[in-house]
Amino acid sequence: MYNNFGLTYAKMKNYPLAMKNTLIAKNLLEKKQHFLHYENVFLNSIKVNLGTYSYELKDYDNALHYYEEVYQYTKEYPNNKQITSKILTNLYTFYLKNPTKLNDFILWLHNSLDENYESPFNIDILRILQKDAINKGNIKNIQLISQKLNYYEDKHKSFMLREQSETTKELNKYLVNSIENEKLIIKQKEKINYLIFYFILILTLTGSYYLYKINQLNKKKAKIKNDLLIKEKNIIEERMNNLSLNLEIKSKTEKEFLLRLKKIKKDKNYETEEIIKDLHLSISSLLNIDKKQYLELEKNNKINDSFIQKIKLDFPLLTPQEIQLCGYVHLSLSNKEIALLENITAPSVRVYKTRLKAKLGLSKEQDLETFLKTIYL
């Protein structure tokens, strides 16, 4: 981390801060007792940076110190010689003042040169050797090294062009693959969107179809139910009309019977045989009317039988008289009609209805007939 800070400050030409942070990195790494190979390489790379920063700060003694430490390390571990690439020129400049070290350094450069055209390190070596040959005025060496340098540079350029070409091909291939992948992803997304759309459409159509079928079925059921209710209502109304007519005839007959009795009492010359005939006729008429009433009520009771059974099951605490009253109300009989059937007064019927509503759990505002016809169709 601190080494990276140092590199950043060096790019900003702030070499004091670069030196400070890189020294922290070096000291932290040197605290380790046992170094791994890659840690040793990294430590010497830090020393290369320290030498470069010292050189820029014109602290040449310190720069030479770090350079020589790296130089000695690469002599001991030749496989890591390329880390000296940045310091070759400066190290050669320092050794110009020391012929012994210079000769040793030049010999090391010759030995370090290999046929690896891909590495710029060999080109750096040849440039130092060319510079040394020029300084010594050795024309033959200058020609040989210059030819070699040109050859290495040409090979390196060819290698770099091949690398660039390969890199370009790989980039183009990557771009083409990326575009194809994007197209494929777009197509897959479109397919998924179409599938989702069709799935939702099928669900919507299926749901609509089932709702339509359910609605049609409910309409049919409601129509059948309504037809049955109308039929039942018509039958009940017909029975009630007949019953009302019979009651009216009975009432008139009873009045006529009473009038005849009064007339017989007043008319003393009325013959006995005629009196008996008149009484017999009037009584027979009343009996026939009662018989008709009984038959009409029996028919209504058969129609109303399922209702009576239901009310008994739902309200087992109701008395037989209260159940009968429920039946009369369900048949839409008036208080007066119920009073005539039960031989009680109409106000008494109202009282019985009020008690019945309380037993059925109805409020005063609720209508008994509406409740019975709504709940027990």
Side-chain angles (χ1 to χ4, degrees), residues 206-245:
T206 306
S208 300
Y209 175 75
Y210 279 112
L211 285 173
Y212 171 76
K213 282 292 184 183
I214 290 168
N215 190 36
Q216 290 295 315
L217 186 61
N218 288 336
K219 282 182 179 179
K220 284 181 181 179
K221 286 182 179 179
K223 188 176 183 304
I224 292 168
K225 198 173 187 181
N226 190 49
D227 291 344
L228 289 172
L229 286 172
I230 291 170
K231 190 175 180 181
E232 183 180 350
K233 182 183 177 184
N234 291 335
I235 292 169
I236 290 170
E237 284 179 353
E238 186 181 350
R239 298 283 185 264
M240 290 302 103
N241 289 334
N242 292 335
L243 184 60
S244 297
L245 183 60

Side-chain angles (χ1 to χ4, degrees), residues 280-309:
H280 182 268
L281 181 63
S282 298
I283 291 168
S284 296
S285 297
L286 289 173
L287 288 173
N288 285 331
I289 291 168
D290 284 338
K291 187 176 181 181
K292 285 183 180 180
Q293 283 181 253
Y294 176 76
L295 290 173
E296 290 297 329
L297 287 173
E298 280 296 313
K299 289 178 183 178
N300 289 331
N301 282 339
K302 286 179 181 178
I303 294 169
N304 214 26
D305 186 53
S306 61
F307 164 76
I308 296 296
Q309 294 301 322

